[in-house]
């Protein structure tokens, strides 16, 4: 007899024996949004939400035949991008319903273009030989969730910094007008 495990999810007094991933994500974000709206003073605090970085595995997931190595050029034609993730549409919907302004740093689409920004072929010096264990099991060394530094994550930081500068400038202008 197989050892079968079932997960249950409780919200208030209601118990779900199954919960769709997008619905669970919406519920989690809605809980977060309610907390932000109830707890954050937008006159004193800025709220930022950064999206997630896109995956560049082709041919399956990382643990079932997918690969992301040997990419050397970014995607330049939008038709080659993956469809915009439904989770990000859920996020955008929740953000629109909030009373507190949240600055959304949408790095998801930005990183989708940069399939070349992962260490993969760049993690070794060109004169180094590929170790035996990597030659035998190359899929074990896929690194699509890691990014070259400096590189793509620096763009995320630059977006955040630019947004902070813009907000600071607007705040100073507002203070000058109030005097």
């Amino acid at each position: 007899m197989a050892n079968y495990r079932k997960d249950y999810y409780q919200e208030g007094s209601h118990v779900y024996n199954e919960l769709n991933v997008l619905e669970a994500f919406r519920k989690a974000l809605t809980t977060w949004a309610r907390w932000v709206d109830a707890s954050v003073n937008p006159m004193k605090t800025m709220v930022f939400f950064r999206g997630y970085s896109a995956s560049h595995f082709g041919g399956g997931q990382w643990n079932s035949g997918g690969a992301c190595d040997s990419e050397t050029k970014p995607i330049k034609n939008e038709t080659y991008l993956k469809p915009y993730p439904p989770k990000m549409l859920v996020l955008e919907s929740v953000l629109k319903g909030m009373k507190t302004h949240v600055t959304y740093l949408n790095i998801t689409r930005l990183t989708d273009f940069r399939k070349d920004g992962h260490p993969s072929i760049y993690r070794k010096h060109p004169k180094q030989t590929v170790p035996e264990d990597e030659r035998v099991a190359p899929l074990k060394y896929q690194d699509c969730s890691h990014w070259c530094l400096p590189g793509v994550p620096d763009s995320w930081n630059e977006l955040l910094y630019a947004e902070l500068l813009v907000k600071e400038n607007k705040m100073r202008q507002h203070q000058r007008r109030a005097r």
Side-chain angles (χ1 to χ4, degrees):
M1 183 174 197
N3 187 6
Y4 183 76
R5 188 176 141 225
K6 184 138 175 89
D7 293 325
Y8 294 90
Y9 309 91
Q10 184 170 349
E11 181 180 33
S13 61
H14 186 269
V15 176
Y16 300 87
N17 63 357
E18 198 173 316
L19 191 57
N20 173 284
V21 172
L22 284 178
E23 181 61 16
F25 188 62
R26 186 191 61 75
K27 287 177 180 289
L29 285 175
T30 301
T31 299
W32 168 80
R34 283 190 201 123
W35 177 86
V36 169
D37 282 343
S39 305
V40 171
N41 178 350
M43 299 305 289
K44 294 182 178 182
T45 306
M46 290 183 272
V47 181
F48 293 89
F49 193 104
R50 190 193 80 192
Y52 65 89
S53 65
S55 174
H56 297 105
F57 286 105
Q61 294 299 315
W62 70 271
N63 60 352
S64 62
C68 66
D69 60 343
S70 302
E71 296 292 350
T72 59
K73 295 183 176 153
I75 295 173
K76 294 181 180 178
N77 184 338
E78 285 188 39
T79 59
Y80 293 107
L81 296 176
K82 294 177 183 158
Y84 195 60
K87 285 182 186 173
M88 294 297 89
L89 296 174
V90 169
L91 168 66
E92 291 169 12
S93 172
V94 169
L95 292 178
K96 284 179 187 169
M98 293 177 68
K99 69 178 184 181
T100 306
H101 174 73
V102 176
T103 300
Y104 175 32
L105 301 174
N106 187 352
I107 64 150
T108 305
R109 183 53 80 205
L110 169 79
T111 59
D112 204 3
F113 282 95
R114 293 302 311 273
K115 67 181 180 157
D116 63 318
H118 304 288
S120 66
I121 64 169
Y122 308 109
R123 71 179 172 266
K124 292 184 290 300
H125 188 275
K127 292 182 181 176
Q128 286 179 315
T129 59
V130 177
E132 178 64 25
D133 60 338
E134 189 169 343
R135 276 197 303 271
V136 173
L139 292 179
K140 180 180 172 185
Y141 296 92
Q142 299 299 309
D143 54 11
C144 193
S145 62
H146 300 94
W147 293 91
C148 290
L149 294 173
V152 176
D154 296 307
S155 299
W156 307 342
N157 293 332
E158 289 173 15
L159 287 171
L160 176 61
Y161 183 61
E163 192 65 38
L164 287 169
L165 289 176
V166 166
K167 288 188 184 299
E168 180 186 36
N169 189 38
K170 285 181 181 178
M171 189 173 64
R172 284 186 180 163
Q173 288 176 355
H174 179 70
Q175 288 172 343
R176 278 188 222 129
R177 287 185 199 130
R179 289 183 192 165

